[in-house]
Amino acid sequence: MIDYQNDNAVLVMTKGHPFNREDFLSVFDGIEGINACSVEQPASQAFFNPELAKDYRAFVLYDMPGMDFFKADADDGLAPRYIEPPTSFKENFLALLEQGHGFVFLHHTIAAWPAWPEYAEIIGGKFLYKPGQIRGVDYPDSGYRHEITHQVSVLQDHPVTAGVSQTFSINDELYLSHVFDDSVIPLLSSDYDYCDSNFYSSQQAVTGTMFSREGWHHAPGHNLIGWVKHYKNSPIVYLQCGDSKAAYDSTEYQTLLSNAINWVASDEAKQWARDRNNHE
């Protein structure tokens, strides 16, 4: 049913990475006070228009646009081919960040729009499906590991972590990728060992060899899996949790997601982001 009495509208954006739609979207049905609706890429880009975005308290991104996995890039001969976001989309996105719109980024969103370096700065990190540059430095492709049961620790009290156990167990996919720890406030860490021998090469997976790390090497990664930050005047949350039903069903994940949405949509979070932006 459509809840016409609930004006706490939240827009959930998906597509670009496989997931079970019913399992994922059912999480939002259980968040009290939230009226969530979903839209897929590329149609979701239209809602970044500030006139359309104002109807939503927050955007929750669970999408991964900007890559054509079926075609190699002419510059490096490797798949995926990177796709530049439309100019109008970038302009609208940056306008929303200037206005102070709230954003929650989840899981594989950290790999989205790789041809637009500013996107990584907005979210606070980057996952590479093929070797590339991050902040002017060359890096190998990032690593992934499915269905890992690991312990998560809450690093500090914050509205996003309210009601969450100080340590909890979750079964989820983990990434050996990049965190811009100079621009984020850490909230969650994992006890997993972030070394390349515990992960598989994402480039080898793209080229048809899943669960392989042959000849692949990556420096030890950051165990930070959740943070808050601001970009321009917007409050932002990134939660690396949330690959499949095992994670969706976690009460701790559900609490984190609910808290994150309510926090980025709050006047307090928006004022916090404005204050931080004004003091940079």
Side-chain angles (χ1 to χ4, degrees):
M1 293 186 294
I2 300 174
D3 185 356
Y4 291 105
Q5 309 307 312
N6 189 337
D7 60 0
N8 291 326
V10 172
L11 192 61
V12 182
M13 303 181 183
T14 63
K15 204 167 185 180
H17 189 285
F19 72 104
N20 185 299
R21 180 180 178 83
E22 183 177 352
D23 288 344
F24 174 67
L25 293 179
S26 69
V27 177
F28 295 89
D29 295 336
I31 300 179
E32 186 175 353
I34 293 296
N35 182 19
C37 57
S38 66
V39 62
E40 293 185 341
Q41 284 281 352
S44 59
Q45 295 174 27
F47 289 87
F48 282 75
N49 180 305
E51 280 300 306
L52 297 178
K54 68 183 182 182
D55 292 334
Y56 300 93
R57 295 180 65 217
F59 285 172
V60 179
L61 280 68
Y62 193 67
D63 56 0
M64 201 178 74
M67 286 172 284
D68 183 350
F69 285 94
F70 302 100
K71 189 171 182 180
D73 195 292
D75 291 334
D76 57 25
L78 299 175
R81 178 173 67 95
Y82 289 169
I83 298 170
E84 288 276 355
T87 299
S88 59
F89 167 73
K90 290 196 292 185
E91 290 174 348
N92 285 335
F93 200 157
L94 295 173
L96 286 183
L97 292 163
E98 195 68 55
Q99 289 179 9
H101 198 76
F103 291 88
V104 177
F105 294 89
L106 301 175
H107 197 52
H108 47 253
T109 54
I110 200 167
W113 297 123
W116 184 26
E118 190 170 8
Y119 174 86
E121 299 295 339
I122 294 167
I123 194 171
K126 191 166 187 174
F127 181 100
L128 293 172
Y129 269 95
K130 60 183 179 181
Q133 282 200 344
I134 299 177
R135 290 180 166 181
V137 178
D138 291 329
Y139 289 101
D141 55 298
S142 298
Y144 69 96
R145 188 70 184 264
H146 292 120
E147 298 180 353
I148 294 296
T149 298
H150 62 113
Q151 294 291 316
V152 178
S153 295
V154 173
L155 301 178
Q156 60 179 294
D157 292 334
H158 188 276
V160 174
T161 58
V164 177
S165 302
Q166 284 299 116
T167 60
F168 63 92
S169 177
I170 191 169
N171 183 275
D172 211 346
E173 181 187 22
L174 293 175
Y175 295 148
L176 181 61
S177 56
H178 298 266
V179 178
F180 300 159
D181 55 4
D182 60 343
S183 64
V184 306
I185 297 173
L187 292 185
L188 303 170
S189 66
S190 169
D191 72 344
Y192 194 64
D193 187 357
Y194 281 71
C195 63
D196 55 12
S197 61
N198 282 335
F199 290 83
Y200 301 119
S201 161
S202 59
Q203 173 58 201
Q204 292 180 34
V206 169
T207 54
T209 308
M210 292 290 292
F211 314 121
S212 172
R213 64 177 72 92
E214 184 176 356
W216 173 74
H217 299 287
H218 195 292
H222 212 299
N223 69 339
L224 188 60
I225 61 168
W227 58 78
V228 298
K229 69 186 300 290
H230 77 286
Y231 197 83
K232 298 186 183 296
N233 293 309
S234 284
I236 289 166
V237 175
Y238 174 73
L239 299 175
Q240 200 262 292
C241 307
D243 177 61
S244 64
K245 192 175 189 302
Y248 307 153
D249 286 348
S250 164
T251 56
E252 305 293 347
Y253 176 72
Q254 294 167 11
T255 300
L256 286 166
L257 180 55
S258 175
N259 288 348
I261 293 170
N262 285 308
W263 182 70
V264 300
S266 70
D267 292 337
E268 292 78 9
K270 293 174 181 179
Q271 186 61 55
W272 170 85
R274 283 192 292 270
D275 290 344
R276 288 176 65 87
N277 190 38
N278 289 336
H279 287 90
E280 285 184 336

